[in-house]
Amino acid sequence: MGPALLFAPADRPERFAKAADRADAVIIDLEDAVAPEAKAQAREHMVASGLDPATTMVRINALDTPDAALDLAALELSPFRTIMVAKAADPDAVAALADFTVVALCESAAGILAAPALAQLPNVVALMWGAEDLVASLGGTSSRFTSGPRTGAYRAVAMQARSQLLLAAGAAGKVAIDSIYADFADLDGLAEESEDAVASGFGAKACIHPSQVAVVRDAYRPSDAAVAAARELLAAADAAGTGVFAFEGQMVDGPILLHARQTLSRAGL
């Protein structure tokens, strides 16, 4: 699913179809987006949503909460079998969800440290990280600088967690999903962060507002020039017929060719 994943609060069913129409996949949210008193009805809305299971996942509450058991019971009445486990940190608990395809949302210090073990589980297909919950779990107040020349940039601990999750996912051959960009009015900041996500290796990025979807898609969609350059490079590699060769004044080897193939893959070629 991806590259643009859009959260939709489960207690707002009128938004489901619009989210599915605008994004590459929908995350029906039973956790933080839903007030405690609205969760029971939200589960009913999720079951009756009618969304395509191939492009829909459901974020459930943390597995150590009573709400998680209720979420899982509701899911049994639905067609959805891809779930995002909030505040994932216990590999044994996630492994027990053998009937589901799992996206492990690592959003605490314990979750980030458990990311390598979570990524190795056969039912886990992707990892995502959450910045604000992570910093809150450490006793901090904000994952980003709020003043000065670095306003909007992640603090060092958030960047480390982001990198650790990406490495854990990559080492296990699983997809890494980049966290949301909370300031949905700052599309320029989102574009910069999305471009970094693509260049770093994140397979998708989560959105919280429909206006963010196009920005994320643009970041993941290679330009015509990039596609042409990738094709030219791969054609030169075929012609060279060797492991390492010179192309336009630079030495080209396996990793460079892999970058080119990934560019074509993101372009759907």
Side-chain angles (χ1 to χ4, degrees):
M1 301 183 187
L5 314 178
L6 181 59
F7 278 100
D11 61 344
R12 300 296 298 273
E14 72 278 5
R15 297 184 182 181
F16 292 169
K18 294 177 181 178
D21 183 59
R22 297 182 185 184
D24 299 306
V26 178
I27 307 169
I28 299 179
D29 191 3
L30 293 172
E31 197 222 6
D32 282 350
V34 181
E37 63 273 13
K39 287 187 184 291
Q41 189 169 37
R43 294 183 187 101
E44 296 177 5
H45 292 320
M46 178 272 293
V47 172
S49 68
L51 295 185
D52 183 356
T55 54
T56 306
M57 70 180 79
V58 179
R59 177 162 77 165
I60 67 171
N61 288 270
L63 294 176
D64 59 356
T65 66
D67 278 314
L70 298 173
D71 295 342
L72 291 168
L75 279 161
E76 292 297 341
L77 305 176
S78 82
F80 305 120
R81 288 299 175 267
T82 301
I83 61 175
M84 177 180 286
V85 175
K87 298 175 179 62
D90 183 348
D92 290 338
V94 174
L97 302 172
D99 293 337
F100 294 95
T101 296
V102 176
V103 176
L105 176 51
C106 302
E107 47 187 341
S108 67
I112 293 297
L113 293 179
L118 291 166
Q120 294 294 333
L121 298 175
N123 62 329
V124 170
V125 295
L127 302 180
M128 179 175 159
W129 75 293
E132 295 310 322
D133 281 297
L134 166 66
V135 172
S137 78
L138 297 169
T141 59
S142 175
S143 68
R144 298 179 187 266
F145 290 95
T146 56
S147 62
R150 300 180 65 185
T151 297
Y154 276 125
R155 298 182 187 278
V157 66
M159 288 301 294
Q160 179 174 335
R162 184 177 187 250
S163 298
Q164 285 185 220
L165 180 125
L166 177 60
L167 291 170
K174 305 296 176 68
V175 175
I177 301 171
D178 200 20
S179 187
I180 63 138
Y181 192 84
D183 186 356
F184 59 81
D186 180 17
L187 297 182
D188 289 338
L190 172 63
E192 181 178 350
E193 188 166 288
S194 299
E195 289 166 6
D196 179 76
V198 175
S200 297
F202 283 94
K205 187 167 180 63
C207 304
I208 57 170
H209 192 276
S211 66
Q212 296 181 319
V213 169
V215 177
V216 172
R217 281 178 171 166
D218 284 346
Y220 276 85
R221 184 185 302 112
S223 66
D224 291 343
V227 170
R231 282 176 160 165
E232 186 177 359
L233 177 61
L234 292 172
D238 289 341
T242 61
V244 178
F245 66 99
F247 180 73
E248 296 185 348
Q250 294 185 341
M251 295 304 296
V252 176
D253 58 5
I256 303 301
L257 296 178
L258 180 57
H259 292 326
R261 294 188 188 98
Q262 289 168 337
T263 295
L264 296 184
S265 178
R266 288 200 307 275
L269 301 173

